[in-house]
Amino acid sequence: MRIKSPNIKKINILICALVIILLVACSPSQPVQEDPVDADIPELPVDEAPPSEPEEPAEPEQPAEPEQPTDDNVWKEDVVYPGAEFLIEVDGFGGPSTPWRFYAVPDISSDELADYYLEQLPWFVVESDGTQDGVRYLMLAHPEPMGFMNEVEGYEEMQSISQAMDGALLGLEVITSEIGLTLYRMGMSPETHDTVNQLPANTTILILDYWQHVD
């Protein structure tokens, strides 16, 4: 019967311990990875805030200027120049539905009267503005003279709209009796010749072209 010596047992344990130590010592070392959070991050320069400028007091808001109407209607009786003398009324291009009313306007030149209506009716279209023999003449027209008849259907509706627009101004002319017989409405209305010829020379003439309801 064999009995192991206690010294041999100790030697075996020692040999195993040495082998383990050698294996650990010979194994390749793993590089330690740096935590990206802990990695050195270059510091960026911090822009210094510019010195704050003192705020200028806000200017009070100016009230908006009212826009000039583009399609509002005006009525013939509202645009007759004060002191104008009615002369005659004749059918216009549209017959009795668009008559022309002639007025003599004393004590004012055609140049002054033309400027007056350019200021009073700035949204009207300037069809003609010039001089002949040094005398001013002017023709204005509503930007949409028959716009109230757009999309009107049926006779009854047309009559209703026509009646509501009775007296609406379609156009206006400023001229003088001296040159009027050769220009525009004055020259196209033979019915006015006798009346105008009886006026003093250089009389300023106002002509209103308007809508008239006809049953």
Side-chain angles (χ1 to χ4, degrees):
M1 181 175 185
R2 294 182 63 181
I3 300 174
K4 293 184 178 181
S5 171
N7 291 331
I8 294 175
K9 186 177 180 179
K10 291 180 179 179
I11 292 172
N12 288 336
I13 294 172
L14 181 61
I15 291 172
C16 290
L18 290 174
V19 171
I20 292 171
I21 292 171
L22 289 173
L23 289 174
V24 171
C26 293
S27 62
S29 60
Q30 298 294 330
V32 178
Q33 296 183 355
E34 294 183 352
D35 192 339
V37 176
D38 297 330
D40 292 337
I41 300 176
E43 293 184 0
L44 297 176
V46 179
D47 293 336
E48 294 183 359
S52 59
E53 298 181 358
E55 295 183 0
E56 296 182 0
E59 297 182 359
E61 294 184 0
Q62 299 294 330
E65 295 183 1
E67 296 182 359
Q68 293 292 348
T70 57
D71 58 353
D72 284 2
N73 290 292
V74 293
W75 312 99
K76 67 178 188 302
E77 59 269 17
D78 295 331
V79 294
V80 176
Y81 190 80
E85 301 171 1
F86 173 72
L87 296 175
I88 193 173
E89 179 173 298
V90 298
D91 292 347
F93 292 132
S97 294
T98 57
W100 300 339
R101 293 176 67 89
F102 290 75
Y103 296 83
V105 188
D107 304 324
I108 189 171
S109 68
S110 61
D111 191 56
E112 293 171 323
L113 192 62
D115 289 339
Y116 170 81
Y117 282 111
L118 284 172
E119 183 178 350
Q120 293 296 312
L121 304 170
W123 68 96
F124 269 47
V125 177
V126 179
E127 291 188 319
S128 183
D129 186 0
T131 59
Q132 178 173 313
D133 299 330
V135 179
R136 177 88 171 272
Y137 60 86
L138 173 72
M139 289 184 66
L140 299 178
H142 191 285
E144 195 176 2
M146 300 299 293
F148 55 86
M149 284 295 184
N150 293 342
E151 301 180 2
V152 175
E153 298 180 358
Y155 177 78
E156 291 184 0
E157 184 180 4
M158 183 178 297
Q159 287 293 97
S160 176
I161 296 296
S162 173
Q163 188 170 6
M165 297 305 298
D166 186 66
L169 187 68
L170 306 180
L172 177 148
E173 186 173 336
V174 173
I175 205 163
T176 68
S177 57
E178 189 171 64
I179 65 171
L181 297 182
T182 61
L183 286 176
Y184 307 112
R185 293 175 175 88
M186 185 82 74
M188 296 176 185
S189 304
E191 299 95 327
T192 65
H193 291 184
D194 291 339
T195 304
V196 173
N197 287 335
Q198 296 173 14
L199 296 175
N202 298 321
T203 300
T204 300
I205 303 297
L206 170 66
I207 307 172
L208 302 183
D209 182 355
Y210 70 98
W211 177 259
Q212 179 172 260
H213 172 67
V214 178
D215 291 325

